[in-house]
Amino acid sequence: MPRHLLLSLLFTALCTLVHAQRFTVSGYVTDSATGEAMIGASVFVEELGKGVSANTYGFYSATLDKGRYTLLVRYMGYADLRRTVLLDADRKLNLKLQPAVEMMKTVEVTGERGKGNVQSTDMGRMDIDVQKLQTLPALLGEVDILKTLQYLPGVQSNGEGNSGFYVRGGGPDQNLILLDGATVYNASHLFGFFSVFNADAVKDIELIKGGMPAQYGGRSSSVLDITMKEGNDKAFHGEGGIGIISSRLTLEGPIIKEKSSFIVSGRRTYIDVLAKPFINPESRFAGSGYYFYDLNAKANYRLGDKDRFFLSGYFGRDVFNLHGNQPGSPSFKIPWGNATVTGRWNHLFSPKLFLNTTAVVSDYKFAFGGGQDQFGFSLKSGIRDYGLKLDFNQYPTIRHNLRYGAQYTYHIYTPSTVAVNSADVDFNIDTPSKLRAHEAALYVQDDFDLTDRLRINAGLRFSWFAHVGSYREYLTNAQGITTGTRDYGPGEVIKQYSGLEPRAALRYTLDKNNSIKASFNRNLQYVHLASFSSIGLPTDTWIPSGKNVKPQQAVQYALGWFRDLAERKWEGSIEVYYKDMANQIEYAEGVKPEDIGNANYDYGLVFGKGWSYGAEFFLKRRVGKLTGWVGYTWSKTMRKFPDVDNGEPFPSRWDRRHDVSVVAGYALNDRWSFGATFVYSTGQAATLPVQRYFIEGRLVSQFTSRNGFRMAPFHRLDLAATLKNKPTKQVADKVTGEVSTVQRKYRSSWTFSVYNVYNRYNPYFIYFAQESTTGLEGLQLGARQVSLFGILPSVTWNFEF
């Protein structure tokens, strides 16, 4: 080979090698004022027109060809940040964003995370701005995260004042609710009227109702992932509020400045305390009362550039007491609530590989204890989880975001357990066995650009579940009479299930403002909520899949058009979906709670299938003095059970044909802001008697088909106004007398709200009353509607320092 040709080839190869050199820029995106991680912040490479998003801990990584690049960093409510980086080696670049309040007059403030509406593969994913929750109207002034979710399309409420939510035709047990990675099994206080989440302690709220990523599993409808604040690592800070029924206080600050921080947040109602002086001590139930409380706490420690530790916890309880002060009066105490503990370790193996290890404990308990004279009665139930998760984020190139990991949970279920005693005698009632189960999963997911227009998010999850002993099974004959028992030893497998759960989503960009998206996901759910009520009550019992209870399955297809309008001041979307559900559970017709007793945990359950389909319309204004959204959902949700209604399809209790919501906020100036919400939905489906007649002196009722009656439509308007104190004050120098303007060390505000402005009496439930003055011949039966709330004004004082 001629020497000049060989040299030419070597030179070409060397140039190619140099040109192909790639390096990684990585680091953390944080709030410059508090040190809090900016979850989901967009880091955009302007020269390439591509970008990456920070993960849950604010970490980002972008691998690029050698060269000079300009990074544009954006996050909702923060000023844009541009940084130029020369990438001739791996670079660590931490990015600190300034809050909008500091930069409002000099820098354009973006109102959303990057260009997620059009550019991402996300479908059915919603982020809630926690800061704006304080300005929205709220029942009795209690800011409620779950009630805010109900204003989103595809998410339905369960009625007046209730914080339960239902997503695309799914039931309450089909929502995976996570607080710092720990499952919260009962997310409400006061029988569903308030949620357990204190907004002051919350940093990020993300709802996923379609296109569920592979790292989430165990539920078939949605994921609500709530992340607590980490605590200010630069300065001590506090905030709180005093309302009509409760007060709250949050304290946060550095343990070691810019290395370790903490946050503690508490809330308690005090109606029981305020009402006590006004209750006649001679009244029949003078010792009765109700209250609930919450406590959130979190601490973190940065060991170095590569390791960080987090420890967080939640503890909440509702306590209802009923004490009579007369001889022979009954006395009851009903406490229930959640407790969670989460420990996390972040480790950075390299600029391209991030690991998060999570250990969790979640515990939910319900107890009922009461008695009268020498008779005593108690009932308890609950569920406890011990879990471990390994989650890896790997960033091969700017076009790929790879996630994979493993998860394990050990469940201990306490089914409804009854104990009865009279005087010194304990009645011999067989105590049902605690139920134990193992649940594990492996997953992998890649979010990547196939072309400049086509982006794909593909994932696969393998899950496994085993119901194990110790367990005593009651054997019955065809008539349901117990004929014996069978005992399973510790760890013995009673029944196990496993399956693949494919997940896929794609985005095709039409232009910079328009895209088409599609998604498919299959979910397996191994835990179930056995409920006699259409609202989530603390008496509802969680049970595992087993010999007779198969895992719930859901397959969902979705297609949507997403568009940005008016230079991204507005965003809109239209999504259509179809969801097919198998192995749904209901109690059989005629089964009552007292029938179950201490029998097998699956007694009285029947099984069937369901389906739901609909269209969701969403228009949102992201920036400016006026912000908010309008949402509309048209949907149909059906169920079919061989043992219900002779096997005929019937509407689900969560079926709503029309659902409209309007949410608006207006900032008049730096002191006054206003909020308004309006909701309208088709009436709830119910099963009611349509005829009543006497047979041999007995009153017999003839009912509609299952959920064959519609209550009146639900609609309500709420308004709120917030007045903040002046952010600055005039201070005179003691020596010179010169007057200067300084920032106040504390801020406060008053929030005035009116719930149900036009005093609409929405139906909560319907009962039938019978009246007669002439015996059976003149008996009149009439339906009576029960409504909970008319117009309710409230006021809350909020403060921070």
Side-chain angles (χ1 to χ4, degrees), residues 306-323:
K306 294 186 176 183
D307 295 279
R308 191 170 184 182
F309 298 92
F310 301 83
L311 182 63
S312 61
Y314 165 83
F315 185 83
R317 281 290 182 270
D318 289 66
V319 179
F320 176 68
N321 295 296
L322 180 67
H323 296 295

Side-chain angles (χ1 to χ4, degrees), residues 476 480 532 587-588 591-592 595-597 599-606:
T476 59
F532 287 93
Y587 276 111
V591 174
K592 301 181 291 296
D595 297 336
I596 298 175
N600 290 331
Y601 71 90
D602 53 11
Y603 174 82
L605 294 175
V606 294

Side-chain angles (χ1 to χ4, degrees), residues 515-526:
S515 67
I516 301 293
K517 301 182 186 181
S519 68
F520 165 84
N521 53 274
R522 180 177 188 262
N523 298 72
L524 296 175
Q525 178 171 330
Y526 300 103

Side-chain angles (χ1 to χ4, degrees), residues 170-186:
D173 62 328
Q174 295 175 357
N175 302 317
L176 177 62
I177 302 177
L178 300 173
L179 179 63
D180 269 3
T183 302
V184 177
Y185 282 96
N186 188 315

Side-chain angles (χ1 to χ4, degrees), residues 425-436:
V425 179
D426 292 327
F427 292 92
N428 184 18
I429 299 177
D430 285 345
T431 300
S433 305
K434 285 191 175 182
L435 310 174
R436 295 170 173 83

Side-chain angles (χ1 to χ4, degrees), residues 187-366:
S188 62
H189 286 304
L190 192 57
F191 305 101
F193 289 105
F194 302 103
S195 78
V196 301
F197 303 112
N198 182 353
D200 290 347
V202 171
K203 176 170 67 175
D204 188 74
I205 307 167
E206 182 178 60
L207 175 70
I208 304 171
K209 54 185 177 162
M212 192 182 297
Q215 70 262 30
Y216 296 111
R219 299 295 187 274
S220 57
S221 276
S222 74
V223 177
L224 177 61
D225 198 348
I226 299 175
T227 304
M228 287 174 54
K229 294 178 180 176
E230 298 166 6
N232 193 319
D233 68 0
K234 301 183 184 301
F236 183 78
H237 173 72
E239 63 179 310
I242 299 175
I244 291 179
I245 67 167
S246 74
S247 290
R248 64 189 194 280
L249 177 64
T250 300
L251 301 174
E252 58 180 320
I255 300 173
I256 302 175
K257 196 169 184 179
E258 298 188 354
K259 190 171 185 179
S260 177
S261 62
F262 77 94
I263 181 170
V264 177
S265 183
R267 176 178 63 161
R268 190 194 190 277
T269 59
Y270 39 64
I271 290 295
D272 58 321
V273 178
L274 296 179
K276 192 171 183 179
F278 302 98
I279 297 177
N280 186 344
E282 302 300 323
S283 64
R284 187 175 180 183
F285 295 104
S288 303
Y290 168 84
Y291 62 93
F292 70 76
Y293 60 89
D294 299 306
L295 178 66
N296 297 80
K298 190 172 185 177
N300 69 87
Y301 181 77
R302 190 179 294 108
L303 189 60
D305 292 338
K306 294 186 176 183
D307 295 279
R308 191 170 184 182
F309 298 92
F310 301 83
L311 182 63
S312 61
Y314 165 83
F315 185 83
R317 281 290 182 270
D318 289 66
V319 179
F320 176 68
N321 295 296
L322 180 67
H323 296 295
N325 59 4
Q326 303 295 326
S329 297
S331 177
F332 302 100
K333 185 173 184 179
I334 312 175
W336 72 91
N338 302 275
T340 69
V341 177
T342 303
R344 288 176 167 176
W345 167 47
N346 294 168
H347 180 69
L348 194 62
F349 287 99
S350 73
K352 295 184 180 182
L353 184 59
F354 181 95
L355 167 67
N356 178 63
T357 303
T358 305
V360 299
V361 177
S362 176
D363 187 54
Y364 170 70
K365 292 179 179 177
F366 169 80

Side-chain angles (χ1 to χ4, degrees), residues 620-688:
K620 177 181 179 181
R621 181 175 172 84
R622 299 190 289 204
V623 294
K625 284 182 172 292
L626 176 65
T627 58
W629 67 82
V630 177
Y632 169 71
T633 303
W634 183 97
S635 63
K636 187 172 184 178
T637 303
M638 300 294 290
R639 296 287 191 268
K640 185 176 182 180
F641 286 68
D643 299 304
V644 177
D645 261 7
N646 299 315
E648 293 296 320
F650 61 90
S652 164
R653 70 184 73 171
W654 306 292
D655 178 53
R656 306 279 194 279
R657 195 70 67 248
H658 304 283
D659 198 273
V660 180
S661 60
V662 181
V663 176
Y666 182 76
L668 181 64
N669 50 44
D670 61 357
R671 297 194 64 194
W672 279 101
S673 61
F674 302 91
T677 59
F678 173 78
V679 292
Y680 172 92
S681 66
T682 301
Q684 184 172 334
T687 305
L688 296 178

